Amino acid sequence: QVQLVESGGGLVQPGGSLRLSCAASGFTFSSLAMGWFRQAPGMERELVAAISRSGGATDYAISVKGRFTISRDNAKNTVYLQMNSLKPEDTAVYYCAAAVTLIVHDIYTKPDEYPYWGQGTQVTVSS
């Protein structure tokens, strides 16, 4: 079983930055495609960013492209989400997700493609 623990959320002013981390355990991290999703109150869970098991392929939601960067450190079993130029509409609970894959460059963009989820971390962008 894959266990995922997110950290790094908090309150930040518009234009500020945060870095989220997700530490994985229970499985060989380099076999996992990873994703960050977010869910605001009353909204569906949506993809923020995804990264292949190798780190060589990434994908982003249009709303965050150019502001957010997903990366991973397979030696530390951790995936990161660097969030810059934050806006109030980025306010949500952010979730880390994982999927086992045999394909090095596979990226998954839909929530139901990920069987493993973290507990979420709140990000609030407000002045």
Side-chain angles (χ1 to χ4, degrees), residues 38-40 42-46:
R38 66 187 180 187
Q39 189 166 20
M43 305 292 286
E44 291 188 355
R45 193 168 295 191
E46 64 175 1

Side-chain angles (χ1 to χ4, degrees), residues 8-30:
L11 173 64
V12 63
Q13 292 187 343
S17 297
L18 281 176
R19 187 175 83 154
L20 305 183
S21 300
C22 172
S25 62
F27 207 88
T28 303
F29 186 67
S30 59

Side-chain angles (χ1 to χ4, degrees), residues 46-60:
E46 64 175 1
L47 174 77
V48 177
I51 189 166
S52 63
R53 53 180 278 187
S54 68
T58 57
D59 196 12
Y60 295 90

Side-chain angles (χ1 to χ4, degrees), residues 3-7 20-24 29 34-36 76-81 95-97 118:
Q3 291 86 43
L4 303 172
V5 179
E6 302 101 332
S7 61
L20 305 183
S21 300
C22 172
F29 186 67
M34 303 295 295
W36 284 100
K76 295 183 178 179
N77 295 346
T78 302
V79 63
Y80 304 98
L81 184 69
Y95 297 91
C96 173

Side-chain angles (χ1 to χ4, degrees), residues 7-8 10 18 41 47-48 59 62 66 69-70 78 87 89 104 107 111 115:
S7 61
L18 281 176
L47 174 77
V48 177
D59 196 12
I62 292 174
T69 302
I70 189 171
T78 302
K87 303 175 181 180
E89 51 263 43
V104 172
I107 293 180

